[in-house]
């Protein structure tokens, strides 16, 4: 799992464009982790699309995660499932998963991050970093929450919410191992170019962090 840039594929954010084409652009540009997020379609309708996305990710060696739906993740052989605070807690979901499946958890406070850690999540998403149109009611916690959580766990931390190539460096420097993005890639005019911009900005932020770290 490489969470450096975690692209969330969402039909609403894609504004009618083909998610398979967006996935292809992300893979071509170097993205290594994606999530399928769907808030409207029932799982039966979503299944064929999820299967096609999973097949392409497997062929490319890209980690494929399903948002919310444990049953769908199992049915398509996804690499893992991502659960929000209103979904099953990791401690309840883990026994349902195949051995080795990745389990991610959304968190919005230090207490929730500690609980995700104690519940054996494999990575912790932290947000919202910045204001976001995708989730306008999302609690704004900012990179400062990452700074609070980082000393508490060695698990991968992923900043989410309003992240752009211009502010991603702030998120990485605050302690994130990567960032998750929806509209910034899925809704971009050129998803491949957007993916490359993010990856370049993330590498630059890591280089700067390494150079300025005390000996």
């Amino acid at each position: 799992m490489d969470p450096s840039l975690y692209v969330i594929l969402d039909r609403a954010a894609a504004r009618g464009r083909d998610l398979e084409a967006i996935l292809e652009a992300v893979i071509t540009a170097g993205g290594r982790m994606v999530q399928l997020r769907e808030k409207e379609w029932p799982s039966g309708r979503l299944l064929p699309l999820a299967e096609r996305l999973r097949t392409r990710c497997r062929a490319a060696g890209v980690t494929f995660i399903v948002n919310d739906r444990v049953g769908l993740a199992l049915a398509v052989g996804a690499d893992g499932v991502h659960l929000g605070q209103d979904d099953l807690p990791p401690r309840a979901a883990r026994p349902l998963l195949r051995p080795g499946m990745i389990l991610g958890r959304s968190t919005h406070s230090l207490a929730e991050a500690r609980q995700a850690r104690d519940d054996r999540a494999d990575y912790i998403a932290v947000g919202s970093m910045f204001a976001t149109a995708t989730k306008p009611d999302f609690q704004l916690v900012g990179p400062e929450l990452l700074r609070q959580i980082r000393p508490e766990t060695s698990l991968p931390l992923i900043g989410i919410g309003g992240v752009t190539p211009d502010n991603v460096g702030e998120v990485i420097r605050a302690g994130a191992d990567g960032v998750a993005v929806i509209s910034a890639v899925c809704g971009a005019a050129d998803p491949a170019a957007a993916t490359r911009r993010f990856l370049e900005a993330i590498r630059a932020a890591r280089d700067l962090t390494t150079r300025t770290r005390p000996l």
Side-chain angles (χ1 to χ4, degrees):
M1 180 180 83
D2 178 0
S4 298
L5 180 63
Y6 186 2
V7 177
I8 298 174
L9 302 174
D10 180 282
R11 283 190 317 108
R15 294 174 293 189
R17 292 183 301 170
D18 181 26
L19 291 188
E20 291 176 79
I22 294 172
L23 173 62
E24 194 63 39
V26 169
I27 291 173
T28 300
R32 307 305 299 165
M33 187 169 181
V34 301
Q35 178 191 123
L36 175 60
R37 178 180 183 268
E38 173 56 57
K39 296 298 185 180
E40 295 180 2
W41 284 5
S43 292
R45 183 177 182 185
L46 187 58
L47 178 64
L49 173 61
E51 288 176 330
R52 294 194 299 273
L53 296 173
R54 171 59 178 131
T55 297
R56 182 64 186 102
C57 284
R58 181 178 290 156
V62 170
T63 301
F64 179 68
I65 306 292
V66 171
N67 182 270
D68 292 347
R69 310 184 195 209
V70 173
L72 182 64
L74 289 166
V76 301
D79 295 302
V81 64
H82 182 88
L83 301 173
Q85 286 295 313
D86 293 331
D87 300 320
L88 285 175
R91 66 179 181 277
R94 178 69 72 185
L96 305 176
L97 304 182
R98 296 187 312 274
M101 282 185 74
I102 298 165
L103 198 163
R105 183 68 157 172
S106 292
T107 65
H108 318 292
S109 69
L110 181 57
E112 289 177 356
R114 286 171 172 162
Q115 189 64 60
R117 174 200 64 195
D118 295 344
D119 282 352
R120 297 170 50 226
D122 293 303
Y123 70 82
I124 301 172
V126 182
S128 180
M129 293 291 99
F130 308 102
T132 170
T134 304
K135 294 184 175 182
D137 58 345
F138 215 29
Q139 182 180 354
L140 184 61
V141 298
E144 179 56 35
L145 182 57
L146 285 167
R147 296 186 184 94
Q148 296 174 29
I149 296 171
R150 183 73 283 172
E152 302 268 345
T153 181
S154 60
L155 290 173
L157 299 181
I158 300 173
I160 185 172
V163 182
T164 69
D166 294 327
N167 63 28
V168 68
E170 185 179 349
V171 180
I172 297 300
R173 290 190 294 272
D177 297 280
V179 296
V181 298
I182 307 177
S183 297
V185 169
C186 209
D190 186 338
T195 297
R196 285 191 290 268
R197 282 193 67 202
F198 268 108
L199 291 172
E200 290 167 3
I202 290 167
R203 282 193 293 268
R206 286 175 174 166
D207 289 345
L208 180 61
T209 301
T210 300
R211 288 199 303 270
T212 58
R213 184 177 296 138
L215 297 177

